[in-house]
Amino acid sequence: MRRWFSTDPAAPDSPPTVHHHAFAGTPSPDVTLWLAPIEPNDPLMPVRWDRDAFEYVVGAGWDAHGPFAVVQSRDQRTVRLLGIDPADGRTTVLHEQRDARWVELVPGLPARTASGIALAHADLRGTRHLTADGEPVTPPGRQVRAVLGVDGDEVLFTASDEPTEVDLWSWRPGTEPRRRSAGPGLHGGALRGGTLVRTRADTAGPTPVAEVLRAGRRAVAVPSYAEPPVLGVRRTMLRLGPRELRAALYLPSWHRPAEDGPLPVLLDPYGGAGGQRVTAAHDWKTLVSQWFAEQGFAVLVTDGRGTPGRGPDWEREAYGDLFGPALDDQVSALRAAARAHPVLDLRRVGIRGWSFSGSLAVLAVLRRPDVFRAAVAGAGVTDQRLYDAHWRERFLGHPEAYPERYEANSLLREAPRLTRPLLLVHGLADPKVPPAHTLRLSDALLAAGRPHEVLLLPGAGHQPLGTDVTHDLLRHQARFLQRHLAAAPPDPGPLHSPDAR
């Protein structure tokens, strides 16, 4: 594997730290599986499978039928469930899934029931179905999210009929799936020995609520002692444009349209594969968006193509082009929201983001300066070859086979196009996206004579929110955006805290 060295500039006497990275197109870790006997003197037994063809081990365990493993090919188009013989470590293929682009790794799948039914998923005509021995057991339009557990022959899983909500379901052979949750929100749970613990996160409180259900007994609530946030949320849920993009609009608690007039707009998305921001629940990201609204912005958060929850076809829109569809959907959502809500001033639009959305924020001001007037980009991937092989090759393929995709998705080659204010932020101890990404982009911008700002955070990792720098980092971003979008909220004095709604 490639070795990457990092140092702490704030502690120059500290030795460098060595990180092993499997970047796109480079060797992956050499992973083996072993059966460990309980008796201390018995030897370890290796598990044998075609490791050259299936180098990724994406799951392993031991159920009532013995040990098993889930392996995946390097191109991620084939996934196998392997049964392992505990006597000699030999493997047998129990189930195989193939896809022309990639086989989605659904949490908890594949799996087996007590009676030996193989559980998996199938992506058919726009729906991700739960399957039992290859046959779908969930209906069209219901998108399976995860299998949370198998209790004997009962399967507990989550699925979405509406992408902003996640419902809890169970299924037994010979029956129809049974809904185990009620009302809007994000539901989850665990099932073992006939006892169900279910959770619900929604907009009513700061943390999920939980209760225990057992047959023939009253439900028992599990109390939460989490402190409520001091910031109320003023959010409107939206469906925008011909694609019915799910979005949320946050407005300042103090804003009165008739007296205060239109507001500058701040797009605050994730907008990419693996990340969903617009849901029927509040979390810390919701509060960050509301905090920026309190600084004088109309904040728009949109989940575009590639984001989870709307089925396999929607997710695969990101294949081959990580940023084009994502950026188009942000612009489409912005314009549709402004038509319905005149409070949005399209002459003053900015964007902020972190990780994937950090890259998206950079590209927004590079490719669409006609729309975006300023951007804040944190921990963005600027060279797609210098990112995790498993995740990046899923969407762009192997760089030797598809070099043009990596070139087209490179932020470095587009650096000379910058004409708008850009603030780049990166933690110098980021193990996920090395700070070299931001430093190389800054170097390319300097070489092209493009002014920009860089804020480096000594000792900070990939997500510095929730650390000692949180307050100052948020304030710095807000001042940068206020300066370039001319957002000037009244002095609120103590923090406004409208009733949560």
Side-chain angles (χ1 to χ4, degrees), residues 13 27 52-53 66 99 195 226 231 235 265 365 368-369 378-379 438 459-460 477 497:
D13 56 340
D52 292 332
D99 190 274
T195 297
L231 190 65
R235 181 178 77 165
V265 187
V365 288
R368 298 304 304 269
T438 288
Q477 294 178 62
S497 181

Side-chain angles (χ1 to χ4, degrees), residues 11 174 195 290 337 392 425 442:
T195 297
Q290 183 64 48
R392 193 50 78 237
V425 186
S442 178

Side-chain angles (χ1 to χ4, degrees), residues 45-108:
M45 183 180 299
V47 176
R48 300 191 296 274
W49 77 96
D50 188 349
R51 292 169 56 209
D52 292 332
F54 294 88
E55 63 181 74
Y56 289 130
V57 179
V58 295
W62 199 308
D63 59 17
H65 303 282
F68 64 90
V70 184
V71 297
Q72 183 185 47
S73 59
R74 176 70 184 246
D75 64 11
Q76 304 186 48
R77 295 173 180 171
T78 307
V79 170
R80 287 179 174 177
L81 171 63
L82 304 177
I84 302 171
D85 189 333
D88 56 16
R90 289 183 300 176
T91 57
T92 303
V93 178
L94 303 177
H95 187 269
E96 181 176 280
Q97 293 173 267
R98 293 179 178 270
D99 190 274
R101 293 187 172 178
W102 75 82
V103 176
E104 184 69 18
L105 298 177
V106 176

Side-chain angles (χ1 to χ4, degrees), residues 297-311:
F297 301 97
V299 178
L300 183 65
V301 179
T302 303
D303 287 340
R305 285 171 287 176
T307 54
R310 291 190 64 170

